[in-house]
Amino acid sequence: PTVDVSDNGVTAKLPTGESVEVLLHGASVISWKSKGEVENLWLSESAVLDGSKPVRGGIPVVFPNFGPAPKDHATSKNPQHGFARNVRWEFLGKSTSEGEASKGSDDSVKLDFGLYSTALSDEARKAWPYDFGLVYSVTLSQEGLRTVLNVRNEGKEAFEFQVLLHTYLRVKDISKTTINGLASATYSDKVLSLPTATQSTPTLSINGEVDRVYKSLAQDTTSVLEGGKPRFDVVRDNLVDTVVWNPWIEKAKGMGDFSPKDGYKNMLCVEVGAVDGWQKLDGGEGWEGGQVIRSLL
Ligand code: BG6
């Protein structure tokens, strides 16, 4: 595998053609190509990549709060979706392994990114005054892309957090895209302002704006299909919730950094996380959760 490090980010490529590009801003994955250089992630053409705004597309990392900060919680002074997606992370290094075809193993490369409370602005530290260390590992192999977040409480006082990996999957045609793996799950529907609903059909089609938080999912895999054919498997590890989001026509128009305006036809957010309630971490303790996304073309 080859790894190129620049001022803004890191790009890694496997000899078999797969590649991944990660911006230091937010440790946001902005491109992931699999076999045949097929791009798997949607990135807005007007995404702001200069570090002045969270990235519209790819995989922003949401921490320590999901959505608008709740009024009655220690995260109440944080921005929407937390600060992690809007600050510069540090590249900690790479580890590569060369596969042995005879053993059926593939080449892989792991890129590690770190964010520590000491690197935040005074303002951000005041808003959420805890000592923490985050390590985000992005591993590229032929199998797919693995992204794992490790959270450490470096202080004495316990803190509570939420995590979400806000993946924008690229799809050919949203009207032919369906999702499996949510059957019978309980969700809250932000479009209809319904706190509790149950997924009645085994397959979910997207025919309009959708913004749902599926909670405590029984199975680990959420599958995205195109024209009935498997396109992506999103496999959760130590994360039980999944947000399904597509802004559709009006919401897409309202986002200055969303383009082209009909780009909602080519994206679907399937966001794995721990966002229902809070994860509590005592001083000195650690937590880890993540996903593997398989491109099934
Ligand atoms: C999703 C939320 O995770 O992110 C939506 O469920 C939200 O409600 C969307 O609109 C995008 O958020 P943002 O802050 O990136 O515009």
Side-chain angles (χ1 to χ4, degrees):
T2 54
V3 176
D4 286 312
V5 184
S6 77
D7 228 24
N8 293 329
V10 185
T11 305
K13 196 163 183 177
L14 302 183
T16 38
E18 295 85 353
S19 66
V20 67
E21 191 177 343
V22 188
L23 272 193
L24 292 183
H25 182 63
S28 316
V29 175
I30 53 166
S31 166
W32 163 43
K33 290 181 183 160
S34 52
K35 213 168 58 189
E37 308 222 340
V38 178
E39 179 60 63
N40 295 307
L41 300 177
W42 185 85
L43 178 67
S44 166
E45 285 172 12
S46 52
V48 179
L49 304 179
D50 67 2
S52 61
K53 226 180 133 68
V55 176
R56 179 69 62 203
I59 314 180
V61 178
V62 169
F63 174 93
N65 56 285
F66 163 64
K71 284 194 184 69
D72 53 354
H73 191 263
T75 53
S76 67
K77 295 195 182 72
N78 284 345
Q80 151 119 336
H81 287 340
F83 48 75
R85 64 174 181 164
N86 205 22
V87 292
R88 190 178 161 97
W89 292 50
E90 199 182 313
F91 178 49
L92 301 176
K94 58 168 183 184
S95 31
T96 56
S97 78
E98 311 236 328
E100 285 176 65
S102 59
K103 291 185 185 155
S105 63
D106 299 323
D107 283 28
S108 72
V109 53
K110 177 161 85 74
L111 308 172
D112 287 328
F113 301 86
L115 178 68
Y116 308 96
S117 40
T118 47
L120 294 181
S121 68
D122 289 347
E123 203 188 334
R125 290 205 67 174
K126 242 200 234 156
W128 199 65
Y130 298 98
D131 293 327
F132 66 87
L134 302 180
V135 175
Y136 185 53
S137 303
V138 175
T139 308
L140 176 69
S141 67
Q142 276 177 270
E143 189 209 352
L145 188 73
R146 177 187 297 269
T147 75
V148 175
L149 186 70
N150 183 290
V151 182
R152 282 201 69 80
N153 184 342
E154 305 281 4
K156 291 207 169 65
E157 202 187 334
F159 63 69
E160 291 186 326
F161 66 95
Q162 296 172 322
V163 164
L164 183 81
L165 303 174
H166 199 306
T167 308
Y168 290 72
L169 296 171
R170 173 174 281 278
V171 297
K172 280 207 189 81
D173 179 352
I174 194 70
S175 72
K176 298 197 173 73
T177 305
T178 52
I179 308 176
N180 283 350
L182 305 170
S184 312
T186 304
Y187 64 92
S188 63
D189 190 318
K190 294 204 227 171
V191 177
L192 301 176
S193 296
L194 267 183
T196 322
T198 304
Q199 179 63 40
S200 50
T201 56
T203 298
L204 175 69
S205 320
I206 316 290
N207 315 304
E209 186 189 353
V210 57
D211 192 355
R212 296 181 178 182
V213 183
Y214 286 88
K215 299 165 187 184
S216 303
L217 290 166
Q219 53 188 96
D220 292 336
T221 304
T222 306
S223 303
V224 174
L225 298 90
E226 286 186 334
K229 279 206 229 123
R231 175 63 185 91
F232 296 104
D233 272 350
V234 180
V235 186
R236 283 173 285 104
D237 185 7
N238 197 33
L239 295 172
V240 295
D241 308 321
T242 292
V243 176
V244 176
W245 181 61
N246 184 298
W248 216 249
I249 302 166
E250 291 308 317
K251 284 270 164 70
K253 270 190 205 153
M255 286 183 271
D257 60 353
F258 193 104
S259 67
K261 283 302 167 199
D262 64 358
Y264 71 90
K265 292 178 182 166
N266 302 114
M267 51 80 59
L268 175 64
C269 284
V270 175
E271 316 161 22
V272 302
V275 295
D276 184 31
W278 299 88
Q279 305 297 311
K280 186 176 174 193
L281 208 51
D282 286 329
E285 296 287 303
W287 173 97
E288 194 166 89
Q291 65 178 346
V292 178
I293 314 174
R294 291 197 196 103
S295 172
L296 302 171
L297 281 180

